[in-house]
Amino acid sequence: MTVVFSMFLLTLLLITAIAVVHAGNLFVAVMLSGIFSLLLALNFFLLDAADVALTEAAVGAGISTVLFLGALSLTTDREKSPSPHRLLSLAIVAVTTLAVIMGTLDKPSFGDPEAPVQVHVAPWYLETTREAIQIPNVVTAVLSSFRGYDTLGEVFVVFTAGIGVLFLIGRHSGTKPQDIGPPHGEPSGLRHYLIPRLIGRMLVPFIMLFGLYVQFHGEYGPGGGFQAGAIIAASIILYALLEGEKRALQVLPRSVLVGMISGGALLYSAVGVAGMLMGGNFLDYSVLLDDPVKGQQIGIILIEAGVGITVTGVLLSIFHAFAARGRF
Amino acid sequence: MNLAYLLDILSWILMTAGGFFVFVGGVGALRMPDLYTRMHAASVTDTVGPMLVVAGLLLQSGLSLPSVKLLGILFFLLLTGPTASNALASAALLAGKNPEYARRMDEPADGEKAE
């Protein structure tokens, strides 16, 4: 049954991907890529990867759609006429596709119990999590403890991306933010739409609460800093769309957001350095407390908080960078 | 034993009916002549469809924590779906889409778009 569902969803995914490429109107392409992400999230869920599914749904279908629309409001929603090098690009794409297909031929078949991924380190992770960390969600244990370096790298990728966007289209380039937007007196945001505004305002605290739940429940169920950061950022973006960007900036000013971007990454690194100072290795949480299991758990909670803070800060800064330049 | 069997049948009937309404909404969104009538058809997938499907799932899960979660999901779906429809319709109205189009559609015999 799962295979039937998977095939159905993958077929839909393929159709959506072709539709994205074919759409001449970029607005349509953005909407279709949101649908693409949602279908992908369903596929991940069918493969029992609930954590990845949550991330894909929150970031791919939610935040990046908003950011794409923000980018479109600065440019145009028409695709440029195709470049004259069509045959060249076709050849490159064909060769790359063949190379990828050839690469998959050597892969173990779907669900093969003898595949390297099942027999190499996964059993060790599963057993050690039960003894050394004692949290139900092994994904969180792998992500934040066993492979803490990788996640630190990911946080710094997010950090660098945020800083890069701020350098490119931050507030200091172009016009001042207060010059743009509706003139004084005229309401900004969706204030003249009564029903969406009312319902949206009602939903914002619940979305934020759900984000905090995902953040602090990551050790027990699907979730963690990346998903929670995206969900909390989504709630603030919803508020900004309803009440206008200025009101959202009053809640979380730019200086706070920049502090969040660096503060979260700093918190993560600080936990690692604290482990070193207390006699362990970098990002070894066992030495943080007398009881190594408790130390692991407190370390995971701290670094997940760092991840969440950085992701929220970066996503909101990017949103505000776009919103300050165009009329959202 | 017999009651469980009955509940099972009832829940499947409800879920199938929900699926039917979602399907009808999809067909309507494809076949209706203009934006507003299409939205009218498609909004069925946000309201009646989930209500019936969740009712069927509630009969499956009984009195348990999943039931509370299902009711929560239904509550948010019923809240956000019609709101999104309302926002879409008012945005279309502001953008100058004419809702009179559906009425004029009755006059020409062919179903072609005549703007």
mmCIF file with all atom_site columns, all heavy atoms in Angstrom, chain A residues 91-104:
data_model
loop_
_atom_site.group_PDB
_atom_site.id
_atom_site.type_symbol
_atom_site.label_atom_id
_atom_site.label_alt_id
_atom_site.label_comp_id
_atom_site.label_asym_id
_atom_site.label_entity_id
_atom_site.label_seq_id
_atom_site.pdbx_PDB_ins_code
_atom_site.Cartn_x
_atom_site.Cartn_y
_atom_site.Cartn_z
_atom_site.occupancy
_atom_site.B_iso_or_equiv
_atom_site.pdbx_formal_charge
_atom_site.auth_seq_id
_atom_site.auth_comp_id
_atom_site.auth_asym_id
_atom_site.auth_atom_id
_atom_site.pdbx_PDB_model_num
ATOM 1  N N   . ALA A 1 91  ? 22.132 19.626 -23.945 1.00 0.00 ? 91  ALA A N   1
ATOM 2  C CA  . ALA A 1 91  ? 23.186 18.610 -23.915 1.00 0.00 ? 91  ALA A CA  1
ATOM 3  C C   . ALA A 1 91  ? 23.731 18.461 -22.500 1.00 0.00 ? 91  ALA A C   1
ATOM 4  O O   . ALA A 1 91  ? 23.896 17.335 -22.003 1.00 0.00 ? 91  ALA A O   1
ATOM 5  C CB  . ALA A 1 91  ? 24.317 18.998 -24.874 1.00 0.00 ? 91  ALA A CB  1
ATOM 6  N N   . ILE A 1 92  ? 23.956 19.600 -21.819 1.00 0.00 ? 92  ILE A N   1
ATOM 7  C CA  . ILE A 1 92  ? 24.506 19.524 -20.456 1.00 0.00 ? 92  ILE A CA  1
ATOM 8  C C   . ILE A 1 92  ? 23.540 18.802 -19.534 1.00 0.00 ? 92  ILE A C   1
ATOM 9  O O   . ILE A 1 92  ? 23.921 17.910 -18.765 1.00 0.00 ? 92  ILE A O   1
ATOM 10 C CB  . ILE A 1 92  ? 24.803 20.946 -19.933 1.00 0.00 ? 92  ILE A CB  1
ATOM 11 C CG1 . ILE A 1 92  ? 25.967 21.551 -20.707 1.00 0.00 ? 92  ILE A CG1 1
ATOM 12 C CG2 . ILE A 1 92  ? 25.109 20.921 -18.445 1.00 0.00 ? 92  ILE A CG2 1
ATOM 13 C CD1 . ILE A 1 92  ? 26.237 22.986 -20.381 1.00 0.00 ? 92  ILE A CD1 1
ATOM 14 N N   . VAL A 1 93  ? 22.240 19.160 -19.651 1.00 0.00 ? 93  VAL A N   1
ATOM 15 C CA  . VAL A 1 93  ? 21.246 18.531 -18.784 1.00 0.00 ? 93  VAL A CA  1
ATOM 16 C C   . VAL A 1 93  ? 21.176 17.038 -19.073 1.00 0.00 ? 93  VAL A C   1
ATOM 17 O O   . VAL A 1 93  ? 21.108 16.216 -18.146 1.00 0.00 ? 93  VAL A O   1
ATOM 18 C CB  . VAL A 1 93  ? 19.872 19.209 -18.980 1.00 0.00 ? 93  VAL A CB  1
ATOM 19 C CG1 . VAL A 1 93  ? 18.778 18.386 -18.342 1.00 0.00 ? 93  VAL A CG1 1
ATOM 20 C CG2 . VAL A 1 93  ? 19.889 20.600 -18.413 1.00 0.00 ? 93  VAL A CG2 1
ATOM 21 N N   . ALA A 1 94  ? 21.211 16.654 -20.362 1.00 0.00 ? 94  ALA A N   1
ATOM 22 C CA  . ALA A 1 94  ? 21.114 15.240 -20.710 1.00 0.00 ? 94  ALA A CA  1
ATOM 23 C C   . ALA A 1 94  ? 22.297 14.471 -20.132 1.00 0.00 ? 94  ALA A C   1
ATOM 24 O O   . ALA A 1 94  ? 22.125 13.393 -19.536 1.00 0.00 ? 94  ALA A O   1
ATOM 25 C CB  . ALA A 1 94  ? 21.069 15.079 -22.235 1.00 0.00 ? 94  ALA A CB  1
ATOM 26 N N   . VAL A 1 95  ? 23.505 15.024 -20.286 1.00 0.00 ? 95  VAL A N   1
ATOM 27 C CA  . VAL A 1 95  ? 24.693 14.328 -19.771 1.00 0.00 ? 95  VAL A CA  1
ATOM 28 C C   . VAL A 1 95  ? 24.615 14.198 -18.257 1.00 0.00 ? 95  VAL A C   1
ATOM 29 O O   . VAL A 1 95  ? 24.869 13.118 -17.687 1.00 0.00 ? 95  VAL A O   1
ATOM 30 C CB  . VAL A 1 95  ? 25.970 15.091 -20.196 1.00 0.00 ? 95  VAL A CB  1
ATOM 31 C CG1 . VAL A 1 95  ? 27.176 14.553 -19.449 1.00 0.00 ? 95  VAL A CG1 1
ATOM 32 C CG2 . VAL A 1 95  ? 26.193 14.958 -21.693 1.00 0.00 ? 95  VAL A CG2 1
ATOM 33 N N   . THR A 1 96  ? 24.217 15.287 -17.567 1.00 0.00 ? 96  THR A N   1
ATOM 34 C CA  . THR A 1 96  ? 24.123 15.233 -16.105 1.00 0.00 ? 96  THR A CA  1
ATOM 35 C C   . THR A 1 96  ? 23.104 14.193 -15.676 1.00 0.00 ? 96  THR A C   1
ATOM 36 O O   . THR A 1 96  ? 23.343 13.415 -14.756 1.00 0.00 ? 96  THR A O   1
ATOM 37 C CB  . THR A 1 96  ? 23.724 16.612 -15.558 1.00 0.00 ? 96  THR A CB  1
ATOM 38 O OG1 . THR A 1 96  ? 24.395 17.611 -16.302 1.00 0.00 ? 96  THR A OG1 1
ATOM 39 C CG2 . THR A 1 96  ? 24.080 16.734 -14.107 1.00 0.00 ? 96  THR A CG2 1
ATOM 40 N N   . THR A 1 97  ? 21.939 14.177 -16.365 1.00 0.00 ? 97  THR A N   1
ATOM 41 C CA  . THR A 1 97  ? 20.904 13.213 -16.000 1.00 0.00 ? 97  THR A CA  1
ATOM 42 C C   . THR A 1 97  ? 21.420 11.793 -16.159 1.00 0.00 ? 97  THR A C   1
ATOM 43 O O   . THR A 1 97  ? 21.210 10.946 -15.268 1.00 0.00 ? 97  THR A O   1
ATOM 44 C CB  . THR A 1 97  ? 19.670 13.417 -16.901 1.00 0.00 ? 97  THR A CB  1
ATOM 45 O OG1 . THR A 1 97  ? 19.355 14.797 -16.908 1.00 0.00 ? 97  THR A OG1 1
ATOM 46 C CG2 . THR A 1 97  ? 18.498 12.618 -16.409 1.00 0.00 ? 97  THR A CG2 1
ATOM 47 N N   . LEU A 1 98  ? 22.085 11.523 -17.285 1.00 0.00 ? 98  LEU A N   1
ATOM 48 C CA  . LEU A 1 98  ? 22.620 10.176 -17.500 1.00 0.00 ? 98  LEU A CA  1
ATOM 49 C C   . LEU A 1 98  ? 23.617 9.817  -16.406 1.00 0.00 ? 98  LEU A C   1
ATOM 50 O O   . LEU A 1 98  ? 23.614 8.682  -15.902 1.00 0.00 ? 98  LEU A O   1
ATOM 51 C CB  . LEU A 1 98  ? 23.282 10.092 -18.875 1.00 0.00 ? 98  LEU A CB  1
ATOM 52 C CG  . LEU A 1 98  ? 22.310 9.914  -20.033 1.00 0.00 ? 98  LEU A CG  1
ATOM 53 C CD1 . LEU A 1 98  ? 23.055 9.888  -21.350 1.00 0.00 ? 98  LEU A CD1 1
ATOM 54 C CD2 . LEU A 1 98  ? 21.508 8.628  -19.853 1.00 0.00 ? 98  LEU A CD2 1
ATOM 55 N N   . ALA A 1 99  ? 24.460 10.779 -16.024 1.00 0.00 ? 99  ALA A N   1
ATOM 56 C CA  . ALA A 1 99  ? 25.451 10.506 -14.981 1.00 0.00 ? 99  ALA A CA  1
ATOM 57 C C   . ALA A 1 99  ? 24.763 10.166 -13.668 1.00 0.00 ? 99  ALA A C   1
ATOM 58 O O   . ALA A 1 99  ? 25.151 9.216  -12.973 1.00 0.00 ? 99  ALA A O   1
ATOM 59 C CB  . ALA A 1 99  ? 26.369 11.717 -14.805 1.00 0.00 ? 99  ALA A CB  1
ATOM 60 N N   . VAL A 1 100 ? 23.684 10.935 -13.343 1.00 0.00 ? 100 VAL A N   1
ATOM 61 C CA  . VAL A 1 100 ? 22.974 10.675 -12.091 1.00 0.00 ? 100 VAL A CA  1
ATOM 62 C C   . VAL A 1 100 ? 22.322 9.302  -12.132 1.00 0.00 ? 100 VAL A C   1
ATOM 63 O O   . VAL A 1 100 ? 22.389 8.522  -11.173 1.00 0.00 ? 100 VAL A O   1
ATOM 64 C CB  . VAL A 1 100 ? 21.927 11.784 -11.828 1.00 0.00 ? 100 VAL A CB  1
ATOM 65 C CG1 . VAL A 1 100 ? 21.024 11.395 -10.677 1.00 0.00 ? 100 VAL A CG1 1
ATOM 66 C CG2 . VAL A 1 100 ? 22.615 13.097 -11.529 1.00 0.00 ? 100 VAL A CG2 1
ATOM 67 N N   . ILE A 1 101 ? 21.687 8.981  -13.279 1.00 0.00 ? 101 ILE A N   1
ATOM 68 C CA  . ILE A 1 101 ? 21.027 7.671  -13.385 1.00 0.00 ? 101 ILE A CA  1
ATOM 69 C C   . ILE A 1 101 ? 22.054 6.551  -13.257 1.00 0.00 ? 101 ILE A C   1
ATOM 70 O O   . ILE A 1 101 ? 21.833 5.554  -12.570 1.00 0.00 ? 101 ILE A O   1
ATOM 71 C CB  . ILE A 1 101 ? 20.260 7.581  -14.720 1.00 0.00 ? 101 ILE A CB  1
ATOM 72 C CG1 . ILE A 1 101 ? 19.035 8.504  -14.677 1.00 0.00 ? 101 ILE A CG1 1
ATOM 73 C CG2 . ILE A 1 101 ? 19.803 6.160  -14.984 1.00 0.00 ? 101 ILE A CG2 1
ATOM 74 C CD1 . ILE A 1 101 ? 18.280 8.580  -15.960 1.00 0.00 ? 101 ILE A CD1 1
ATOM 75 N N   . MET A 1 102 ? 23.229 6.733  -13.905 1.00 0.00 ? 102 MET A N   1
ATOM 76 C CA  . MET A 1 102 ? 24.274 5.722  -13.796 1.00 0.00 ? 102 MET A CA  1
ATOM 77 C C   . MET A 1 102 ? 24.732 5.570  -12.355 1.00 0.00 ? 102 MET A C   1
ATOM 78 O O   . MET A 1 102 ? 25.009 4.465  -11.884 1.00 0.00 ? 102 MET A O   1
ATOM 79 C CB  . MET A 1 102 ? 25.457 6.091  -14.684 1.00 0.00 ? 102 MET A CB  1
ATOM 80 C CG  . MET A 1 102 ? 25.431 5.394  -16.021 1.00 0.00 ? 102 MET A CG  1
ATOM 81 S SD  . MET A 1 102 ? 26.828 5.885  -17.020 1.00 0.00 ? 102 MET A SD  1
ATOM 82 C CE  . MET A 1 102 ? 28.173 5.183  -16.105 1.00 0.00 ? 102 MET A CE  1
ATOM 83 N N   . GLY A 1 103 ? 24.781 6.708  -11.643 1.00 0.00 ? 103 GLY A N   1
ATOM 84 C CA  . GLY A 1 103 ? 25.179 6.649  -10.238 1.00 0.00 ? 103 GLY A CA  1
ATOM 85 C C   . GLY A 1 103 ? 24.202 5.848  -9.401  1.00 0.00 ? 103 GLY A C   1
ATOM 86 O O   . GLY A 1 103 ? 24.605 5.119  -8.497  1.00 0.00 ? 103 GLY A O   1
ATOM 87 N N   . THR A 1 104 ? 22.899 5.957  -9.724  1.00 0.00 ? 104 THR A N   1
ATOM 88 C CA  . THR A 1 104 ? 21.917 5.240  -8.911  1.00 0.00 ? 104 THR A CA  1
ATOM 89 C C   . THR A 1 104 ? 21.936 3.747  -9.186  1.00 0.00 ? 104 THR A C   1
ATOM 90 O O   . THR A 1 104 ? 21.404 2.976  -8.394  1.00 0.00 ? 104 THR A O   1
ATOM 91 C CB  . THR A 1 104 ? 20.499 5.763  -9.166  1.00 0.00 ? 104 THR A CB  1
ATOM 92 O OG1 . THR A 1 104 ? 20.218 5.617  -10.547 1.00 0.00 ? 104 THR A OG1 1
ATOM 93 C CG2 . THR A 1 104 ? 20.360 7.216  -8.792  1.00 0.00 ? 104 THR A CG2 1
#
